[in-house]
Amino acid sequence: MLAGVRLARTETLSLDRCDGRVPASFSVTATIDVPPFSNSAMDGFAVRAADLPGELDVVGEVAAGAGSLPPVGKGEAVRIMTGAPLPPGADTVVPIEDALETGDRVRLPARERGTYVREAGHDTPTGASVQLPEAALEAATVAVLASLGVAEVEVRRRPRVAVLSTGDELATPGGALRPGQIYDANSFGLGVAVRESGGEAIVLPLTADDPALIERRLRDAAASADLVVVSGGVSVGRHDHVRDVLERRGRLDFWRIAVQPGKPLAFGEIDGRPVVGLPGNPVSALVTFELFLRPMLRAMLGLPGDGRIHVLACATESMPKSTERRAYLRVVVARDGDGYRAAPAGGQQSSQLRPLAAANALLVVPEGEPAAELGRAYEAMLIGPPA
Ligand code: AMP
Ligand code: MG
């Protein structure tokens, strides 16, 4: 699925609008020293260390932002503020707390040369290649770019992801349910999942289990989106048409995976756009989104992997699963001594949606095993902070 992913195109944004966006390049070359000049780390006196200890003449003052600087000669001190440029001749700053002032003279203790001086370029020297975290831009990284004088950043455009929910039984929250109807959870849940993964969600109108309509919607979606996500109708029921439409009108690469929840996952394309068919069940849809679509969206943004932390966690109880399939159990992971433990977040049937909302991790229990065993450690993929 990742093999066919194309990198999103880029756009240039001003620095004040780039947070939450993924930079097109994770390396920036510094064109200036940061800080640009040697300056004081304290409010105090700029002096020559060789004159210390001693009583010195106070010959001037430099505040932050000062452009012209009084030189510091032998036996002299200049009053200096935090962030002010170190005047010529001075090599050391003595904080005001250590000074004894009488009139125009100041008595200062001995200090090592260079004390409380921030050298030019000590944070970042000119020409340094500054590596940005492979992630969406956050406060500290934006601050680093600002300190380098960067005013605009080239970022990846958000991949446009069409979200299409299919099913004759679906009704939109806000209206009343007619007999046999349920509320559509996927248009909303998947829309949020797309946005949380860095994409732009284009949520299409609810679509009945009608092959002609599904085909029309898929083609419309393919025309306006980089990736099409369709939920429902990918299984073997008489009214499951999505897979059929892909097979006849597009391309179907595969449509079943040994994963629980989420067996009937389909992948293919229509009109040259990748289409992922998710199981209609909201638990299965959201878990398979996490496993397959989130990495795809990240790859489009130039980001590696799934962006999740994986830890080892010991099962607090035995949790049964399908032996043939790899299970992603909905669990709550909490610290336990030097490690972590995983307790079920609730029932593990794929029709039980609330435990997914309560879970902060998916516990990965391998295919070939009938259950997660009490006390055994399994890989837990954190989808929220540990409890
Ligand atoms: P399907 O994949 O179409 O066989 O649907 C599997 C189960 O998920 C059925 O119980 C559907 O009613 C339910 N389902 C399908 N789509 C949605 C949706 N958008 N929101 C909530 N439940 C759904
Ligand atoms: Mg259905």
Side-chain angles (χ1 to χ4, degrees):
M1 292 169 84
L2 290 174
V5 159
R6 262 180 299 179
L7 264 181
R9 284 201 306 239
T10 64
E11 60 186 330
T12 299
L13 294 183
S14 66
L15 192 64
D16 59 346
R17 296 192 49 222
C18 69
D19 53 291
R21 303 296 297 272
V22 178
S25 161
F26 298 114
S27 169
V28 177
T29 303
T31 57
I32 57 162
D33 280 339
V34 179
F37 47 85
S38 295
N39 66 90
S40 176
M42 288 295 230
D43 294 318
F45 293 91
V47 299
R48 301 161 176 248
D51 289 345
L52 302 179
E55 194 170 283
L56 310 178
D57 290 325
V58 181
V59 297
E61 176 180 313
V62 249
S68 76
L69 307 172
V72 175
K74 197 170 165 15
E76 292 177 346
V78 160
R79 198 181 292 279
I80 193 164
M81 314 302 152
T82 305
L86 200 70
D91 54 29
T92 302
V93 172
V94 180
I96 193 123
E97 293 86 343
D98 299 338
L100 200 68
E101 290 178 74
T102 40
D104 286 346
R105 292 177 68 77
V106 64
R107 173 164 290 283
L108 300 171
R111 284 288 176 265
E112 202 178 313
R113 186 163 186 249
T115 303
Y116 292 124
V117 173
R118 304 162 173 164
E119 293 296 342
H122 88 89
D123 190 6
T124 307
T126 304
S129 137
V130 177
Q131 296 304 310
L132 310 181
E134 292 189 357
L137 289 165
E138 293 180 333
T141 306
V142 172
V144 164
L145 293 172
S147 76
L148 291 166
V150 172
E152 291 181 325
V153 193
E154 193 184 357
V155 299
R156 296 276 162 209
R157 288 178 186 269
R158 296 187 189 281
R160 292 161 60 84
V161 182
V163 173
L164 176 62
S165 299
T166 69
D168 287 340
E169 73 279 34
L170 301 178
T172 297
L177 289 177
R178 289 201 304 273
Q181 285 192 317
I182 59 167
Y183 285 121
D184 164 30
N186 289 341
S187 296
F188 298 88
L190 293 172
V192 173
V194 165
R195 288 191 286 274
E196 284 180 352
S197 304
E200 180 190 331
I202 305 162
V203 180
L204 299 170
L206 284 178
T207 299
D209 292 314
D210 165 347
L213 187 58
I214 289 172
E215 179 180 346
R216 184 139 49 83
R217 285 276 159 74
L218 285 178
R219 289 194 191 280
D220 287 351
S224 63
D226 303 307
L227 176 63
V228 181
V229 178
V230 47
S231 84
V234 285
S235 196
V236 293
R238 289 193 53 194
H239 299 274
D240 290 336
H241 301 299
V242 171
R243 184 164 48 87
D244 220 40
V245 169
L246 281 182
E247 207 157 23
R248 286 168 201 264
R249 307 295 186 174
R251 201 187 73 212
L252 181 70
D253 290 357
F254 64 83
W255 71 277
R256 253 184 308 194
I257 55 173
V259 164
Q260 178 191 32
K263 183 158 101 179
L265 181 112
F267 180 61
E269 66 167 48
I270 199 154
D271 296 339
R273 293 285 180 208
V275 178
V276 181
L278 302 181
N281 199 305
V283 173
S284 313
L286 286 170
V287 169
T288 48
F289 185 99
E290 174 66 35
L291 300 178
F292 296 94
L293 279 153
R294 201 174 134 86
M296 281 180 90
L297 280 172
R298 289 176 57 84
M300 292 166 111
L301 290 164
L303 297 174
D306 59 22
R308 298 299 195 188
I309 293 167
H310 295 241
V311 299
L312 282 177
C314 291
T316 59
E317 57 186 86
S318 166
M319 293 174 251
K321 63 177 273 292
S322 136
T323 303
E324 304 79 53
R325 293 189 274 157
R326 183 183 308 177
Y328 291 83
L329 302 176
R330 281 70 72 201
V331 296
V332 175
V333 163
R335 301 242 27 165
D336 188 8
D338 289 341
Y340 297 94
R341 65 185 137 81
Q348 298 295 320
Q349 291 185 51
S350 58
S351 52
Q352 292 174 294
L353 182 51
R354 280 188 301 131
L356 178 61
N360 63 5
L362 298 173
L363 194 70
V364 189
V365 187
E367 51 276 32
E369 296 180 18
E373 279 174 47
L374 162 69
R376 241 185 79 185
Y378 297 92
E379 177 189 349
M381 174 179 187
L382 298 186
I383 53 175

